[in-house]
């Protein structure tokens, strides 16, 4: 691989990173707070690739009438560098979607305990993150939830005992560390639910629980009173 090819790869990688970070595609892979760093990284790669290509073409033009002197034009970088094109093609041609029900079904629910639970803010229904509801339901036994009507957003998936679960992937940094938060749906559910269908549900705390078949963690219920089918949101992960 000569220097011109290396420069082209830098331009392609930088362009793919910049495109993903400016179109919202990056949200399938990392948390929203990392967008500025992706934009900067993509810009640096584009500048580096552009200068490398400009310098190489200028040097080639100046030496067009000379024989190769063996000082770099005949030699390139390692061939393994072509593997950098793999993620570029993935982003440009076969961009993988955000993790969904398939990944959630193979990972245990990520419910975490807190030392204390602050009083809920005003709102009816009150929109809560999935992790906040699940944590209050499992470890606080619903004491801080009371009879409040809670609104949750996530995707549907099949659970144990022929149940339907509402799930959402939670990330600390990126999709590589994603884990699902799962809440079982009680009450009257509409016919025709399907895996990966995004829902917005409204309901109240229920003391019932299921056991996650992957890691044995408790999966709390929410007694549903309203179910709305919604389009896939741009930001599919919670963080």
């Amino acid at each position: 691989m000569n220097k011109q090819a290396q420069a082209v790869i830098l331009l392609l990688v930088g362009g793919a990173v910049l495109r993903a970070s400016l179109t919202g595609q990056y949200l399938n892979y990392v948390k929203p707070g990392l967008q500025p760093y992706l934009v900067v990284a993509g810009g640096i790669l584009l500048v580096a690739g552009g200068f490398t290509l400009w310098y190489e073409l200028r040097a080639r033009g100046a030496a067009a009438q000379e024989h190769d002197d063996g000082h770099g034009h005949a030699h390139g970088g390692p061939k393994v560098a072509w593997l950098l094109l793999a993620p570029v093609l993935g982003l440009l041609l076969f961009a993988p979607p955000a993790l969904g029900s398939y990944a959630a079904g193979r990972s245990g629910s990520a419910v975490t305990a807190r030392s204390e639970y602050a009083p809920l803010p005003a709102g009816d229904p009150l929109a809560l993150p999935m992790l906040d509801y699940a944590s209050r339901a499992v470890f606080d036994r619903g004491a801080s939830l009371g009879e409040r009507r809670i609104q949750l957003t996530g995707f549907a998936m099949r659970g144990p005992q022929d149940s339907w679960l509402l799930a959402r992937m939670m990330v600390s940094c990126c999709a590589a560390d994603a884990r699902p938060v799962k809440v079982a749906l009680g009450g009257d559910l509409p016919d025709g639910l399907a895996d990966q269908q995004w829902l917005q549900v409204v309901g109240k705390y229920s003391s019932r629980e299921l056991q996650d078949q992957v890691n044995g963690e408790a999966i709390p219920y929410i007694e549903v009173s309203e179910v709305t089918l919604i389009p896939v949101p741009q930001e599919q992960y919670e963080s």
Side-chain angles (χ1 to χ4, degrees), residues 34-175:
L34 295 179
Q35 184 189 28
Y37 302 100
L38 291 174
V39 172
V40 171
I44 290 173
L45 289 173
L46 285 176
V47 171
F51 272 106
T52 300
L53 187 60
W54 172 78
Y55 180 82
E56 182 66 14
L57 290 176
R58 189 181 68 165
R60 285 290 179 95
Q65 303 302 320
E66 300 178 5
H67 292 292
D68 176 47
D69 58 7
H71 293 293
H73 294 300
H75 299 283
K79 293 182 179 180
V80 73
W82 286 108
L83 292 176
L84 286 172
L85 287 177
V88 175
L89 293 175
L91 283 173
L92 295 178
L93 302 177
F94 314 103
L99 298 175
S101 59
Y102 181 85
R106 286 153 182 77
S107 302
S109 191
V111 181
T112 55
R114 299 180 187 176
S115 57
E116 60 180 354
Y117 296 90
L120 295 176
D124 183 38
L126 173 63
L128 281 184
M130 290 279 291
L131 181 60
D132 194 9
Y133 175 82
S135 176
R136 291 172 184 268
V138 172
F139 297 106
D140 195 37
R141 299 299 178 188
S144 58
L145 294 169
E147 291 296 314
R148 296 287 300 276
R149 296 201 316 145
I150 304 299
Q151 177 182 289
L152 302 177
T153 301
F155 55 83
M157 62 176 289
R158 281 289 185 183
Q161 301 177 23
D162 202 30
S163 62
W164 277 105
L165 306 180
L166 189 72
R168 196 156 186 178
M169 302 301 288
M170 182 183 67
V171 299
S172 298
C173 173
C174 60

Side-chain angles (χ1 to χ4, degrees), residues 181-212:
V181 179
K182 307 173 187 178
V183 174
L185 300 177
D188 293 329
L189 303 178
D191 296 330
L193 285 183
D195 270 359
Q196 201 57 38
Q197 169 66 60
W198 277 83
L199 310 172
Q200 195 171 79
V201 305
V202 175
K204 294 183 178 181
Y205 164 74
S206 170
S207 60
R208 292 193 294 159
E209 290 182 352
L210 290 173
Q211 187 176 52
D212 195 305

